[in-house]
Amino acid sequence: MLVGEAGGGADPAQGGAAPAQGSSAAPAQGGVAAQGGTAPAQGGAAPAQGGVAAQGGAAAPSFLCDAMLGGLSRWLRGAGYDAMFEHGIDDGDLVRLAQQTGRVLLSSDAGVFERRSLRTAAVRGLYVPRGLRPTEQAGFVLRELGLPVRDPRCMACGGALTAATKDSVRDAVPAVVADRHDEFWRCDRCGKVLWKGSHWDGIVAGLAAAAGVAAAAEAPAPPAGGRKPPP
């Protein structure tokens, strides 16, 4: 769990970016996702092929976000899901990439869902209504797909995080960081070293807000008059 990045790894934030994970670029290890809207027809919400191993042993879905959802991709990574984002990708290429990788396509472009591969569920997708902040978008996705907030992934690339000892990362982080922190993680995909930086509280609050959006949508309506229901 961590956040704040020193350089690189940036999905452009949209309308309120997710805070970055406190991190330092370690040697790369292979580099390299609402209310007020009607969703077009969607493919099934089954876990994506090649999905990340989930907590509890089930497979967690992985996501591909369109050009309007860069901020959402970062919050989904913070919520524990592998979310991919490519700025400026053509709609046709976007859909083909989703089909090739087995990722669930997230888009705020209704026209994308008119494509045959989405109408026939060859590609699974979810329409994310416009006008939502990234944390609200994340809450919408979690609610619609019935997903919990999980241990975070790297917010730069979506890779899994593995605990690392201070000694093993000392040469990869600023000396002041090594002096102030005892817990470190390394991204298995991009190699970044992460720690709970100054933005951590903001990330925790943002994820709580996303989870709150999902939970609020599932909560039963309060009884008339504000009275508690009988036991």
Side-chain angles (χ1 to χ4, degrees):
M1 312 169 99
L2 358 149
V3 175
E5 295 161 43
D11 288 328
Q14 97 191 18
Q21 284 173 319
S23 81
S24 176
Q29 305 173 357
V32 135
Q35 310 94 315
T38 303
Q42 304 160 8
Q49 297 172 354
V52 184
Q55 291 152 281
S62 56
F63 298 99
L64 175 61
C65 297
D66 74 7
M68 293 183 278
L69 300 177
L72 170 60
S73 70
R74 292 179 67 86
W75 280 112
L76 286 175
R77 294 166 186 169
Y81 297 90
D82 186 0
M84 183 177 178
F85 168 76
E86 289 200 19
H87 181 67
I89 189 171
D90 172 82
D91 285 351
D93 291 337
L94 182 77
V95 173
R96 281 189 289 274
L97 183 58
Q99 186 164 12
Q100 291 166 2
T101 60
R103 290 173 179 264
V104 177
L105 177 61
L106 302 177
S107 178
S108 293
D109 181 356
V112 169
F113 294 87
E114 295 301 318
R115 290 178 176 266
R116 178 181 175 82
S117 55
L118 281 132
R119 287 189 288 106
T120 61
V123 172
R124 287 156 294 174
L126 177 67
Y127 175 77
V128 179
R130 302 188 186 196
L132 302 178
R133 295 188 299 273
T135 51
E136 294 172 330
Q137 293 170 344
F140 173 80
V141 172
L142 296 178
R143 182 187 81 232
E144 290 297 304
L145 300 183
L147 301 173
V149 173
R150 309 163 63 79
D151 290 340
R153 301 177 70 85
C154 175
M155 290 178 79
C157 74
L161 301 178
T162 301
T165 65
K166 180 183 292 193
D167 287 342
S168 71
V169 303
R170 192 177 293 276
D171 292 339
V173 301
V176 65
V177 170
D179 290 341
R180 292 179 180 176
H181 298 274
D182 294 316
E183 292 183 293
F184 296 89
W185 293 260
R186 189 186 295 276
C187 175
D188 293 344
R189 180 177 296 166
C190 71
K192 287 184 181 295
V193 175
L194 310 173
W195 61 91
K196 293 182 181 178
S198 59
H199 295 302
W200 180 244
D201 288 344
I203 292 167
V204 171
L207 291 174
V213 170
E218 296 172 357
R227 293 172 294 177
K228 293 183 179 180

